[in-house]
Amino acid sequence: MKAEHCRDLQEENQSMQKDMVTLKGILQETENMHTQSKLHICNLMASCDDKDHQICTLSRELQILSASVGTDKTCEPAGESLETVWKLETEITNLQAMAEQQTSVIAALQNEVAETARAKKDLEDINQQTSLAKKVRLKHLDGSFNRLDESTVANWLSGSTCRAGTAMANERTALLDHGVYSVQSESEISGSGQQGNGFVHTSGHSATPRSLNTFFGVIVPTVLSMFSIVLFLRTGFVVGHAGLLQGLLMLAVAYFIISLTILSICAISTNGAVEGGGAYYMISRSLGPEFGGSIGLMFYLAKVCACGVYILGLVEAILNIFGRDPGSAVSEGIRVLPQGYWYTVLYAAVALQLCLLVCLVGAHVYSRASFLILLVVTVALLSVLISPLVVWPREFSISHQCPTNGTCVYNATYTGFNSTTLRRNLGPGYSLDYSTNTVMSFATVFAVMFTSCTGIMAGANMSGELKNPSVAIPKGTIIAVLYTFCVYVILFILVSSTCDRALLTLDYGFLQRINVWPPFVIIGVYCASLSAAMCSLIGASRILHALALDQVFGLPLAPAAITSKSGNPWVAVLYTWALVQCVVFAGQLNFIAGLVTVFYLLAYAAVDLACLSLEWASAPNFRPTFQFFSWHTCLLGIISCLVMMFVINPVYSSASIVVLLVLLLILHYRSPTSSWGYISQALIFHQVRKYLLMLDVRKEHVKFWRPQVLLMVANPRSSCQLITFINQLKRAGSLCWDTCSWEFWTPCPRIPSSPSIPSG
């Protein structure tokens, strides 16, 4: 039964292929006839002009002879002169008759050309409708393929489907070289391995099938990325140093910024098809290759640094449980792991190697395991919320390495719900951070806290694997952000009401100490950190893969376009893994938290800028189905991101903007031509139209009068001095229309000067 069904499908596809070939043949013949008719008309027009010239010459000779015969009064006209006049008149009559006959032939040929053009247009419409029907039919048959045997479907696809993707070029087209671009389908390009001069060489099968829905593709990775290490390892850090009030203020500011960015993301993602590459795809297709390439690379670096932060947070959580006590030289119980800078780098490399293995298998493995990870994190979070109702007050002794190479011991208290504890934790109490030995401030604490908000694009980065990204990205992102915001607010209030400031600032893993069952928190921290690291590694590799496919940076990123047979960009994963390995040499996550935050704020500002540009340009193709945004929200988002960048770290902010401008200039001077469109052209057109409409005829004055010159020239190349004179006359500030003969604008051979058209 399956074999017969597959045979029927193959026969139907072969029939459609034959119809397409026949239509293309007829269309080619029609185009040839159309070209021949136009050439024939050009030759006939040239012949008519020659005959008109001969008629004019003979008419002048006839006038001269007639004048000489009529003015000779002394003698009779000579017989030869009369005979010459008679012959000239006869020849003129014959030429006029031939000219009229050729004129009628030209009119008939013009009618034939018009009919041929109409027939050609009809054939093109039929060809387009046939291609569309074929695509719809192939898409409709996907459900049938899923029910067939995999080997049967593979054989059928190898014989037919691979020829179905050359209908038209789309926006995934690589950057064009000399105006030539590929006409390959999205599926061919997405699964490509190398590209060059507009052509794509695939390395295996076509693109990875879109199989993720809103929950598994957007909500789950976004929630896990936003929880990450801050939920379990930096909640006490934020509340302990900033206090409850400033901590809630930081949370409100951070979520206000990302909420404005989410509105822009929702608007862009619901405006049309969203392919692989997430934020890079949105920005590049909105602002062009220069802005898209530079911002995309910056966003890629932000993802790389974020992955390093999550790995270092995981190592910190491991050392909190299994690391040797700083004041002890021997192992005690399970605390057997030696501590130190190089040991931290070693542990981070091992954890990163585990993430690499998962990412090399493919994103589908992570998406399947992410739901289980979310369940584990949720259980751990519930245990944290329930513990204050069960655990009685306790006192702890905490030891740390002192700045003077000694060991300092501190006493901390868990009081349970206590109004006095809450009052003491309301205000700020910035002090020394024991992990970096630096005094904290509002900016440094906000930079660490903002890393919990950098996961809002985790779902957008998976756009290449989503079934319906235009629906899944807005819906899933908004739900995930609302959920995480509520969790953070509840957790901030909970810890500020139950723990004194010493416990919050001297032990970042204090939630494990006060939990009803400590392994809950340990497992939650490990799962949240690992999932966030893998999500960043996968998202960054997809961005790099999209940059390589578009050939924005040329050869340096060309190998990143290679994919496996299942569509996994394994070379891009290796690139990203190597860069993250360099990031973990920082040793402490608080060192690079500021850089990560600055990079992300710059990327968010770029997304707001893309949406603002499309809104201000009033582009006809910008009609998002998501309407809860305006240019005010976009502009406010840009200003908020830039202000917070310089509040957090002016040096990092200035350096990141300089790097962005350098990348922008490099891409601009490389002059890559793309088929995506340039927002700058839309903005220029919008402004020019606005200023033209502002012109008021009633306010014209002779002092500001400017000439508007209509210059008639046969050949601009031989009239340069005249054109220069006119340009000087109008002082390069008026309208000047240069008209040229047809021979400089049409491919017809040898057509004399007749009607002229304006070049403007």
Side-chain angles (χ1 to χ4, degrees):
M1 184 66 182
K2 293 181 179 179
E4 292 176 359
H5 190 191
C6 188
R7 255 195 321 272
D8 294 338
L9 294 177
Q10 188 172 5
E11 290 175 358
E12 181 178 353
N13 186 69
Q14 289 176 354
S15 177
M16 295 179 72
Q17 291 285 349
K18 291 179 181 178
D19 294 340
M20 292 282 292
V21 172
T22 304
L23 284 174
K24 288 181 180 179
I26 296 174
L27 184 61
Q28 185 64 37
E29 293 177 0
T30 306
E31 289 179 352
N32 294 337
M33 293 173 58
H34 188 71
T35 304
Q36 292 176 0
S37 299
K38 288 182 66 176
L39 184 60
H40 193 188
I41 289 174
C42 292
N43 293 332
L44 287 176
M45 290 179 65
S47 177
C48 286
D49 290 334
D50 291 339
K51 288 182 172 52
D52 289 339
H53 182 70
Q54 293 178 12
I55 289 173
C56 292
T57 303
L58 292 175
S59 298
R60 284 197 296 270
E61 292 179 3
L62 179 61
Q63 290 176 359
I64 294 172
L65 287 174
S66 299
S68 63
V69 171
T71 55
D72 192 359
K73 305 294 184 179
T74 58
C75 60
E76 294 294 327
E80 292 81 5
S81 299
L82 291 175
E83 185 177 358
T84 302
V85 170
W86 179 77
K87 288 182 178 180
L88 288 174
E89 290 178 347
T90 303
E91 188 172 356
I92 289 173
T93 303
N94 294 334
L95 288 174
Q96 289 176 345
M98 293 175 62
E100 291 176 356
Q101 183 179 4
Q102 290 186 352
T103 302
S104 62
V105 172
I106 290 174
L109 285 174
Q110 288 176 344
N111 293 332
E112 183 179 351
V113 169
E115 293 177 358
T116 306
R118 285 194 294 271
K120 177 184 176 183
K121 185 178 183 301
D122 293 338
L123 286 173
E124 288 176 347
D125 293 339
I126 294 173
N127 189 17
Q128 185 177 3
Q129 293 175 2
T130 305
S131 300
L132 181 61
K134 180 180 178 182
K135 290 181 180 179
V136 172
R137 177 60 176 164
L138 290 175
K139 184 176 180 181
H140 177 70
L141 292 177
D142 283 342
S144 300
F145 292 160
N146 294 332
R147 293 189 296 270
L148 294 177
D149 183 72
E150 291 184 359
S151 61
T152 307
V153 174
N155 294 332
W156 186 85
L157 287 175
S158 63
S160 59
T161 307
C162 62
R163 299 187 298 270
T166 58
M168 60 183 294
N170 52 32
E171 285 197 344
R172 175 57 77 187
T173 304
L175 295 183
L176 313 182
D177 292 333
H178 308 292
V180 181
Y181 60 92
S182 170
V183 295
Q184 288 181 288
S185 67
E186 179 67 32
S187 61
E188 288 176 319
I189 297 177
S190 298
S192 64
Q194 299 288 339
Q195 295 184 10
N197 299 328
F199 296 95
V200 181
H201 307 283
T202 59
S203 63
H205 296 171
S206 60
T208 307
R210 297 175 178 267
S211 58
L212 300 180
N213 56 17
T214 302
F215 182 76
F216 290 101
V218 181
I219 295 179
V220 172
T222 303
V223 169
L224 290 176
S225 297
M226 297 186 73
F227 280 163
S228 64
I229 61 169
V230 176
L231 181 67
F232 295 107
L233 293 181
R234 288 298 182 269
T235 300
F237 169 83
V238 175
V239 177
H241 286 288
L244 177 62
L245 296 181
Q246 286 196 12
L248 292 177
L249 176 63
M250 292 179 184
L251 195 67
V253 171
Y255 272 82
F256 175 73
I257 293 174
I258 65 173
S259 297
L260 296 175
T261 306
I262 288 171
L263 296 180
S264 301
I265 294 173
C266 295
I268 297 176
S269 62
T270 59
N271 186 51
V274 179
E275 303 299 337
Y280 161 70
Y281 185 90
M282 298 178 188
I283 297 172
S284 62
R285 269 50 177 185
S286 300
L287 301 183
E290 292 94 345
F291 279 97
S294 55
I295 293 294
L297 188 59
M298 297 295 288
F299 190 64
Y300 169 75
L301 295 177
K303 279 285 182 183
V304 168
C305 294
C307 184
V309 167
Y310 301 143
I311 292 294
L312 291 174
L314 175 62
V315 172
E316 180 180 313
I318 293 174
L319 292 178
N320 284 339
I321 306 301
F322 302 102
R324 289 178 184 172
D325 188 59
S328 175
V330 296
S331 302
E332 298 178 0
I334 61 174
R335 304 179 72 88
V336 295
L337 295 179
Q339 299 194 48
Y341 171 77
W342 289 109
Y343 284 110
T344 300
V345 174
L346 176 62
Y347 303 149
V350 174
L352 186 59
Q353 189 71 27
L354 177 62
C355 296
L356 174 65
L357 294 177
V358 175
C359 294
L360 287 178
V361 175
H364 62 282
V365 176
Y366 166 74
S367 63
R368 291 172 183 172
S370 60
F371 179 65
L372 297 177
I373 296 174
L374 180 61
L375 289 179
V376 173
V377 173
T378 304
V379 171
L381 180 60
L382 290 175
S383 70
V384 171
L385 299 178
I386 294 173
S387 293
L389 303 175
V390 180
V391 179
W392 295 99
R394 300 177 181 177
E395 292 186 358
F396 305 101
S397 177
I398 303 172
S399 61
H400 289 298
Q401 191 78 25
C402 293
T404 57
N405 294 328
T407 302
C408 300
V409 180
Y410 307 92
N411 294 323
T413 306
Y414 166 73
T415 63
F417 285 108
N418 191 297
S419 59
T420 303
T421 304
L422 178 61
R423 275 197 309 272
R424 291 175 178 174
N425 290 329
L426 287 178
Y430 297 107
S431 59
L432 190 71
D433 174 27
Y434 71 84
S435 64
T436 59
N437 290 325
T438 56
V439 178
M440 294 292 98
S441 63
F442 181 90
T444 54
V445 174
F446 180 83
V448 175
M449 195 278 301
F450 194 82
T451 56
S452 65
C453 304
T454 56
I456 61 172
M457 291 188 180
N461 293 332
M462 303 292 289
S463 57
E465 285 82 13
L466 295 174
K467 290 181 181 178
N468 192 354
S470 297
V471 175
I473 292 175
K475 182 179 178 181
T477 305
I478 292 175
I479 293 174
V481 168
L482 291 176
Y483 172 68
T484 55
F485 178 75
C486 295
V487 170
Y488 276 119
V489 170
I490 294 173
L491 197 58
F492 276 25
I493 297 174
L494 181 68
V495 299
S496 62
S497 304
T498 58
C499 303
D500 67 354
R501 195 178 296 272
L503 180 61
L504 297 177
T505 56
L506 296 175
D507 186 7
Y508 298 152
F510 73 98
L511 290 177
Q512 179 255 335
R513 292 178 181 263
I514 64 174
N515 197 269
V516 61
W517 191 52
F520 273 141
V521 176
I522 298 172
I523 297 172
V525 170
Y526 295 166
C527 291
S529 301
L530 271 177
S531 64
M534 286 188 290
C535 183
S536 296
L537 190 61
I538 292 173
S541 63
R542 267 46 179 183
I543 296 173
L544 185 64
H545 180 62
L547 286 167
L549 285 179
D550 290 336
Q551 296 182 351
V552 177
F553 291 96
L555 291 178
L557 298 183
I562 301 174
T563 61
S564 63
K565 293 183 178 180
S566 61
N568 185 31
W570 61 274
V571 178
V573 172
L574 291 178
Y575 270 42
T576 308
W577 168 80
L579 289 178
V580 176
Q581 188 64 60
C582 297
V583 172
V584 298
F585 279 98
Q588 289 291 338
L589 66 89
N590 286 358
F591 279 134
I592 56 176
L595 182 62
V596 173
T597 301
V598 167
F599 277 163
Y600 270 107
L601 285 172
L602 187 61
Y604 294 163
V607 174
D608 291 326
L609 177 63
C611 189
L612 177 66
S613 302
L614 291 172
E615 182 69 13
W616 272 356
S618 299
N621 68 325
F622 186 60
R623 303 174 187 270
T625 58
F626 184 85
Q627 297 295 328
F628 299 100
F629 80 101
S630 67
W631 67 268
H632 304 86
T633 60
C634 301
L635 184 60
L636 187 59
I638 296 173
I639 296 174
S640 302
C641 291
L642 294 178
V643 169
M644 290 311 301
M645 281 173 57
F646 284 93
V647 168
I648 292 170
N649 195 314
V651 177
Y652 286 165
S653 302
S654 303
S656 62
I657 293 176
V658 169
V659 172
L660 176 64
L661 294 177
V662 170
L663 292 174
L664 191 64
L665 291 175
I666 291 174
L667 292 178
H668 176 72
Y669 283 108
R670 287 185 71 247
S671 299
T673 304
S674 76
S675 61
W676 310 333
Y678 295 84
I679 192 63
S680 58
Q681 298 301 309
L683 290 172
I684 292 172
F685 175 82
H686 181 266
Q687 292 299 110
V688 169
R689 177 182 175 274
K690 183 179 74 173
Y691 289 128
L692 286 176
L693 292 175
M694 290 173 61
L695 292 176
D696 192 350
V697 180
R698 297 169 297 178
K699 297 181 181 179
E700 291 183 354
H701 195 274
V702 65
K703 291 188 298 182
F704 308 109
W705 175 82
R706 295 180 183 274
Q708 299 180 8
V709 183
L710 178 64
L711 177 61
M712 312 287 289
V713 295
N715 187 353
R717 299 181 184 88
S718 60
S719 306
C720 294
Q721 294 181 351
L722 181 59
I723 294 174
T724 303
F725 170 73
I726 295 299
N727 190 55
Q728 294 174 350
L729 181 65
K730 68 186 182 64
R731 202 170 178 267
S734 300
L735 296 177
C736 180
W737 294 73
D738 300 333
T739 63
C740 308
S741 60
W742 279 99
E743 61 180 329
F744 298 102
W745 300 96
T746 63
C748 298
R750 199 175 58 81
I751 299 179
S753 302
S754 51
S756 298
I757 62 169
S759 64

